[in-house]
Amino acid sequence: MKEILWRLERWRYIQTLIFDEKVILNEPVEKWPVVEVLICFFSQDFPLDKALQYTELRKPFLINDLKAQFGIQDRREVYRILESQGVELPRYAVLDRDSDEPGCMLVESDDHIEVNSVMFNKPFVEKPVSAADHNIYIYYPTSAGGGSQRLFRKVGSRSSVYSPESRVRKSGSYIYEDFMPTDGTDVKVYTVGPEYAHAEARKSPALDGKVERDSEGKEIRYPVILGNDEKLIARKVCLAFKQMVCGFDLLRADGKAYVCDVNGFSFVKNSVKYYDDCAYLLGNVILRKLAPQLDIPWKIPPQLEDPPFVPTTFGRMMELRCVIAVIRHGDRTPKQKMKMEVKHAKFFHIFSKHGGFKTGQLKLKHPKQLQEILDVSRFLLDEIRHKSEPDIEEKKSNLEQLKAVLEMYGHFSGINRKVQLKYLPHGRPKKNKSHSSSEDDYSGGPSLILILKWGGELTPAGRIQAEELGKAFRFIYPGGHGDNPGCGLLRLHSTYRHDLKIYASDEGRVQMTAAAFAKGFLALEGELTPILVQMVKSANTNGLLDNDCESSKYQNMVKHHLSEAMQQDRDLAADSELERSIETIAPTRARSLVHSLQLIRNPVLMCETCYELMHRLTDCIRTRMGEPGSHDIELYHEETWELMLRRWSKLEKDFKTKSGQFDISKIPDIYDCIKYDMQHNQKRLQFSDTEQLYLWSKSLADIIIPQEYGITVEDKLTISQGICLALLRKIRGDLMNVMAPDESTHRLNPKYSKGVMSPGRHVRTRLYFTSESHIHSLLNVLRYGGLVQRPNDEQWGRAMEYVGSVSELNYLTQIVIMLYEDPSKDIQSEHRFHVELHFSPGAICCLPEQCSGPGFRPHSRNENVTVYFV
């Protein structure tokens, strides 16, 4: 404030006077100094009523209306005024416990609340109605880990903390509103009259609670340019609240701007340009108002012009404009499933309670629902133990596994377990009678099939991998090398020149991978839950990253053909057979596929070898379970020996059918489990043939997994198109939008951007986190979709040689597209833009493989090269 007053003093006809605090607090208003203009604003312990008496007595010209400042202290009144002006607000409802009026009602559930019959799903925001109370809470859904982020007035370098508490406050009056996804950034807007607005971006206090400060200890903010609709909002706020100097909070979400708070009198700190502008505008307003009354010889000057838009010219030869990455999730636990028939009345009660009879099936994944199933399993096991209810038909072993899985981790959070119940009016079909219609062929009486699914969740190792990859990913951005590695990206992002969006499919492991990556990428701190909710967008609404596609029938045909080809009890790699085997199983002749065929030779014998090794492994687990002190040995991620034995016993049973044939579709699961145990449980397991089972199952999986997405080129393209067509269209749109930027592009205001060397630079980053199916499909499109029309292109050939030698697209596999621009070239020139494709097969396997082919990187990026893999 002193900076602004000092500049006003430089005006010829203006003098400033600061009222003494003792005079304000202790003297009657009649003894206050007499002034023609009053700048007065509410703060804690300030006698606003007394100031209002002074204005009624002396009638000074008010910069900010005093009566209106009473309303700003109540968030309910603020929202009412904003709504009356047609300003966009988050959807909200008021829980007014202070009012005597009836109708104040709150109903709370695990993942939503109802306020006066208005439902808010988590995440939602809880604000005290008093604007002076800064204790604002954000509540997170159980699928993201639950808990809440608690915001408060800055204390040191903290502005919020994460709490495991998920229940809303039970006393006081609050506004509840939808949480707006802003990608971790808030915008603070400051008006000086209705025609001027200065905007600054800062890291959202709800993200990790750490306040970013500069070397002088001041919070770091960066001025940004407002769009035309946002300038109109600033004008409306200034006029509606009758506050010439006024600050308010703007949330940019889903292509719109929402106002979430109005602060009244507030001004920008540490901006010389703003101080100059503010003093200039206030001086003109004061003299325009008072010059005629006081006979001051003053002429009205031209109005301050709006800052011009930032020009989109660049000084460098090749400017990075866009980074698009499609990334597989990190290391996960093996996916598992158990089926059991249940008939007890308590299971039917749960089925009926949650509306299962309406559709004949029910999915349970919320904590309270899973707790109900756990309580029933505990009850039935207790009854079996005491033989107090002899008619229990559920198998004890199944109930024990159900109980053990639901008790894992000691709590229900995230998407890591779910139960499905399916109604069978006549009970389960008897064995070998699945196609019969006679009631005698069923087990008798109605029953429910209970399907328990668990596993497939991101491991602690997977979180660390994703976070470290995020840190490493900074290095692909310009700047920040040498003594400050990776800070070029951080500088770009913190200065609001980085247009970042992170998308993830609905699977819990994928979303947590995205959150952990974002934590490392942007150097964030704290828990993953706030980062997940604020930074990661779910892509399930348009099928962008989830694998629910029309090509599944075609894929099933390919799997059937592959199963038949891999059931041949002969040497497929013999001299007389190899060429025919390649044409049948690997017609693309990828080096990794041919190598695996030569390693497997006879697929039936190889399956038999794996089966024998699995049998020996289950014997080893049983032996370890019987050893003294075995229960004191902790397996990875809180798995018990009993669950490990069930995991492997089920695979062993399902792999070899009673007819003696092998179920080839189980090979990926076998490899998945042995890779997990070799990486995390090998020392505890002490199985001498772990490495052998890993190598043989991997050689089979290296054929089965990639070929399930198509055997011939035509197969691969048909299946890939069904799986990732929406993603391909989105990627194309991302690239095209960079070539024709719109007003919503993240840009700095160059007039206010102190210390930023290139305020015009902005980079668009789109990160897509997904599962293995999208990675295989996208890679197949790039390899076989005719991207390069020159068949003898050396660059493309060497790149494809490397990709063909990669046998596995492991966890955190990345396909990265980087778009560069040379602004010195004509906009229509084919040399204006330059695209690079980068590929990494992800995390290093338990036993690293040597991929032949170094990829390709040209000597100079100025050559006429448009696409390459490294």
Side-chain angles (χ1 to χ4, degrees):
M1 189 66 197
K2 290 181 179 178
E3 292 283 347
I4 298 172
L5 293 178
W6 172 75
R7 285 166 171 78
L8 283 173
E9 280 277 1
R10 297 168 64 183
W11 287 66
R12 181 179 176 185
Y13 300 104
I14 296 178
Q15 292 181 343
T16 63
L17 172 67
I18 300 175
F19 287 22
D20 187 88
E21 186 175 332
K22 292 180 181 179
V23 172
I24 295 173
L25 296 177
N26 303 324
E27 297 291 343
V29 295
E30 289 81 6
K31 292 187 178 182
W32 287 13
V34 178
V35 296
E36 282 79 21
V37 181
L38 184 68
I39 298 177
C40 179
F41 51 91
F42 174 78
S43 63
Q44 188 173 0
D45 299 326
F46 178 78
L48 189 59
D49 288 324
K50 202 171 180 181
L52 190 59
Q53 294 173 21
Y54 174 82
T55 61
E56 291 173 352
L57 175 66
R58 302 298 183 192
K59 307 276 191 264
F61 172 55
L62 293 176
I63 296 298
N64 280 28
D65 186 84
L66 293 191
K67 289 182 180 179
Q69 292 184 35
F70 287 98
I72 293 176
Q73 298 173 49
D74 189 325
R75 290 190 171 99
R76 293 166 294 192
E77 180 66 9
V78 168
Y79 274 29
R80 185 195 67 78
I81 294 173
L82 290 171
E83 280 187 311
S84 71
Q85 299 299 311
V87 175
E88 290 277 3
L89 297 170
R91 188 178 65 96
Y92 76 97
V94 178
L95 183 68
D96 194 346
R97 292 192 175 104
D98 303 323
S99 173
D100 296 329
E101 296 182 9
C104 174
M105 183 180 67
L106 172 70
V107 179
E108 184 173 14
S109 300
D110 286 332
D111 275 336
H112 72 271
I113 60 169
E114 290 184 42
V115 181
N116 303 331
S117 301
V118 180
M119 181 180 289
F120 295 91
N121 291 314
K122 292 182 179 178
F124 59 77
V125 181
E126 178 187 64
K127 294 179 178 178
V129 295
S130 171
D133 189 343
H134 296 269
N135 295 294
I136 297 172
Y137 293 178
I138 301 170
Y139 295 91
Y140 300 124
T142 54
S143 61
S148 56
Q149 192 77 8
R150 305 193 166 192
L151 283 64
F152 45 79
R153 188 182 285 276
K154 289 189 285 288
V155 178
S157 291
R158 303 295 309 178
S159 59
S160 72
V161 294
Y162 175 78
S163 168
E165 179 57 55
S166 295
R167 296 289 173 183
V168 301
R169 288 171 277 192
K170 296 301 187 291
S171 61
S173 297
Y174 300 95
I175 292 177
Y176 292 92
E177 63 186 46
D178 287 334
F179 175 81
M180 310 303 292
T182 62
D183 301 318
T185 303
D186 289 349
V187 178
K188 308 284 285 186
V189 182
Y190 302 88
T191 70
V192 185
E195 307 301 329
Y196 179 95
H198 174 94
E200 292 185 342
R202 65 167 184 176
K203 186 174 74 174
S204 170
L207 191 56
D208 63 357
K210 183 183 178 183
V211 179
E212 292 182 329
R213 297 188 182 277
D214 59 19
S215 59
E216 298 178 358
K218 297 171 181 175
E219 183 180 13
I220 296 175
R221 298 181 180 183
Y222 287 93
V224 296
I225 289 181
L226 294 175
N228 291 331
D229 57 334
E230 295 168 333
K231 292 177 183 177
L232 180 59
I233 291 173
R235 177 182 174 83
K236 287 181 176 180
V237 169
C238 179
L239 294 175
F241 290 90
K242 302 177 183 178
Q243 306 293 298
M244 182 176 298
V245 179
C246 185
F248 65 92
D249 295 345
L250 200 67
L251 302 177
R252 287 171 163 174
D254 303 322
K256 288 185 177 182
Y258 302 83
V259 176
C260 65
D261 202 5
V262 176
N263 312 120
F265 190 98
S266 54
F267 47 85
V268 181
K269 302 173 180 65
N270 309 313
S271 173
V272 173
K273 186 66 171 64
Y274 171 81
Y275 296 151
D276 292 341
D277 290 348
C278 186
Y280 177 86
L281 289 168
L282 289 178
N284 276 292
V285 168
I286 292 169
L287 290 175
R288 187 186 303 116
K289 176 71 176 178
L290 299 179
Q293 301 175 22
L294 303 176
D295 294 324
I296 297 173
W298 177 82
K299 293 181 179 180
I300 299 176
Q303 295 301 299
L304 190 71
E305 295 179 359
D306 274 341
F309 281 11
V310 178
T312 57
T313 57
F314 300 91
R316 294 197 174 186
M317 195 63 181
M318 296 299 291
E319 184 74 24
L320 178 64
R321 294 298 314 282
C322 183
V323 176
I324 299 171
V326 183
I327 304 173
R328 191 187 173 192
H329 59 76
D331 178 63
R332 60 163 173 77
T333 60
K335 291 187 286 186
Q336 299 180 73
K337 181 168 70 173
M338 180 195 80
K339 284 186 181 181
M340 60 182 288
E341 185 178 20
V342 296
K343 295 188 176 183
H344 198 275
K346 287 183 177 295
F347 285 113
F348 275 95
H349 174 71
I350 294 173
F351 189 73
S352 175
K353 175 183 174 182
H354 296 288
F357 285 109
K358 293 179 182 178
T359 59
Q361 56 185 2
L362 183 65
K363 290 184 179 180
L364 306 173
K365 59 182 181 181
H366 295 295
K368 276 191 176 179
Q369 297 172 333
L370 296 176
Q371 186 65 51
E372 290 180 54
I373 298 293
L374 176 57
D375 291 343
V376 173
S377 65
R378 287 171 174 169
F379 170 79
L380 294 179
L381 284 170
D382 190 60
E383 294 294 302
I384 292 172
R385 228 174 270 115
H386 295 92
K387 299 183 179 178
S388 54
E389 193 174 337
D391 296 332
I392 295 176
E393 298 185 49
E394 286 77 10
K395 290 183 180 179
K396 181 183 176 183
S397 59
N398 287 341
L399 289 171
E400 286 175 338
Q401 182 171 6
L402 177 63
K403 174 177 174 288
V405 171
L406 293 178
E407 286 180 340
M408 288 168 64
Y409 319 125
H411 61 93
F412 298 112
S413 67
I415 310 171
N416 51 25
R417 284 159 291 186
K418 56 186 173 183
V419 170
Q420 291 176 258
L421 293 170
K422 295 182 179 180
Y423 179 63
L424 300 177
H426 305 297
R428 199 172 190 174
K430 295 179 181 179
K431 292 182 179 179
N432 301 322
K433 298 290 183 179
S434 58
H435 299 289
S436 174
S437 59
S438 171
E439 292 189 11
D440 295 334
D441 295 326
Y442 290 83
S443 58
S447 67
L448 297 168
I449 291 295
L450 187 152
I451 305 168
L452 173 65
K453 295 181 179 180
W454 73 98
E457 61 189 288
L458 192 68
T459 65
R463 293 189 180 198
I464 294 172
Q465 291 170 355
E467 188 173 340
E468 290 300 313
L469 178 62
K471 292 177 183 177
F473 215 75
R474 300 178 201 161
F475 287 85
I476 69 175
Y477 293 82
H481 299 292
D483 295 334
N484 298 296
C487 78
L489 176 277
L490 298 179
R491 175 73 169 162
L492 190 74
H493 190 78
S494 67
T495 53
Y496 210 65
R497 295 170 294 162
H498 186 208
D499 179 8
L500 170 66
K501 293 278 191 300
I502 302 176
Y503 297 89
S505 65
D506 256 6
E507 296 166 306
R509 59 184 172 272
V510 179
Q511 295 205 341
M512 296 310 290
T513 298
F517 181 98
K519 182 178 180 180
F521 187 52
L522 300 177
L524 302 174
E525 296 181 358
E527 301 294 325
L528 292 186
T529 297
I531 299 172
L532 170 62
V533 173
Q534 295 212 54
M535 297 297 299
V536 180
K537 299 179 183 296
S538 177
N540 68 321
T541 52
N542 54 9
L544 190 62
L545 294 173
D546 290 294
N547 194 15
D548 183 16
C549 62
E550 299 178 358
S551 63
S552 57
K553 292 182 180 179
Y554 199 89
Q555 195 171 8
N556 288 334
M557 293 170 55
V558 170
K559 289 180 180 179
H560 178 73
H561 176 74
L562 187 61
S563 178
E564 287 184 340
M566 294 296 288
Q567 294 281 3
Q568 300 177 66
D569 190 5
R570 56 190 177 84
D571 187 353
L572 301 181
D575 292 341
S576 58
E577 295 286 341
L578 181 59
E579 188 61 32
R580 186 170 64 171
S581 300
I582 291 173
E583 286 297 325
T584 303
I585 299 172
T588 60
R589 298 179 178 272
R591 183 172 299 196
S592 63
L593 296 175
V594 175
H595 174 74
S596 295
L597 277 174
Q598 293 171 327
L599 188 64
I600 292 168
R601 305 194 75 86
N602 188 319
V604 174
L605 290 180
M606 183 61 76
C607 287
E608 189 66 49
T609 301
C610 289
Y611 180 75
E612 291 174 4
L613 290 171
M614 291 167 64
H615 184 71
R616 284 155 62 181
L617 175 57
T618 54
D619 284 345
C620 175
I621 297 172
R622 291 187 183 94
T623 302
R624 294 286 286 136
M625 288 175 64
E627 293 175 356
S630 64
H631 289 282
D632 296 330
I633 301 174
E634 292 186 2
L635 297 174
Y636 187 71
H637 207 43
E638 300 183 31
E639 187 178 31
T640 65
W641 286 103
E642 289 80 7
L643 288 174
M644 176 188 268
L645 179 61
R646 290 176 188 272
R647 170 160 57 90
W648 278 108
S649 296
K650 187 175 188 305
L651 273 177
E652 180 188 357
K653 176 185 175 183
D654 294 344
F655 185 40
K656 192 171 185 179
T657 63
K658 290 187 176 180
S659 65
Q661 281 195 320
F662 291 99
D663 185 351
I664 302 300
S665 68
K666 299 298 177 186
I667 286 173
D669 295 333
I670 296 169
Y671 173 59
D672 189 33
C673 279
I674 193 60
K675 180 169 71 171
Y676 177 82
D677 286 328
M678 187 172 178
Q679 181 174 349
H680 301 299
N681 290 318
Q682 189 173 14
K683 291 182 179 178
R684 304 172 182 87
L685 195 55
Q686 297 178 6
F687 179 52
S688 58
D689 293 320
T690 304
E691 188 174 313
Q692 203 64 33
L693 179 55
Y694 170 83
L695 288 171
W696 295 140
S697 61
K698 175 173 169 55
S699 64
L700 289 166
D702 287 346
I703 291 178
I704 299 297
I705 293 175
Q707 297 306 82
E708 283 182 344
Y709 298 95
I711 297 175
T712 66
V713 169
E714 291 75 16
D715 292 341
K716 292 180 185 294
L717 290 176
T718 300
I719 293 172
S720 297
Q721 185 177 9
I723 292 175
C724 68
L725 181 60
L727 177 60
L728 287 166
R729 286 173 174 165
K730 180 67 169 62
I731 290 173
R732 183 179 183 275
D734 292 336
L735 295 170
M736 297 303 293
N737 283 336
V738 172
M739 299 178 188
D742 56 24
E743 190 184 288
S744 64
T745 300
H746 288 51
R747 295 177 298 161
L748 275 181
N749 189 329
K751 286 191 176 182
Y752 295 80
S753 303
K754 178 183 177 182
V756 180
M757 299 301 294
S758 52
R761 173 185 295 166
H762 57 273
V763 178
R764 182 186 186 97
T765 298
R766 295 294 182 265
L767 305 176
Y768 301 96
F769 289 84
T770 185
S771 55
E772 190 177 22
S773 60
H774 274 76
I775 298 294
H776 276 285
S777 300
L778 180 57
L779 192 59
N780 282 338
V781 169
L782 295 175
R783 291 174 71 181
Y784 305 113
L787 198 59
V788 173
Q789 302 296 332
R790 295 168 289 182
N792 298 322
D793 189 289
E794 176 200 0
Q795 172 184 341
W796 188 254
R798 291 184 64 185
M800 293 301 98
E801 181 186 356
Y802 170 77
V803 174
S805 68
V806 173
S807 62
E808 178 182 5
L809 304 183
N810 207 352
Y811 301 127
L812 295 174
T813 292
Q814 311 128 53
I815 299 172
V816 182
I817 303 172
M818 300 179 71
L819 174 66
Y820 292 84
E821 182 178 9
D822 182 354
S824 67
K825 304 295 183 183
D826 185 86
I827 192 65
Q828 301 298 328
S829 171
E830 64 178 16
H831 302 295
R832 173 91 180 194
F833 292 98
H834 170 85
V835 179
E836 296 175 1
L837 293 179
H838 298 257
F839 167 73
S840 167
I844 297 174
C845 300
C846 303
L847 298 175
E849 59 179 336
Q850 295 296 324
C851 298
S852 60
F856 188 87
R857 181 179 290 278
H859 297 296
S860 170
R861 289 181 175 174
N862 294 329
E863 296 176 12
N864 295 328
V865 175
T866 54
V867 181
Y868 64 89
F869 271 80
V870 294

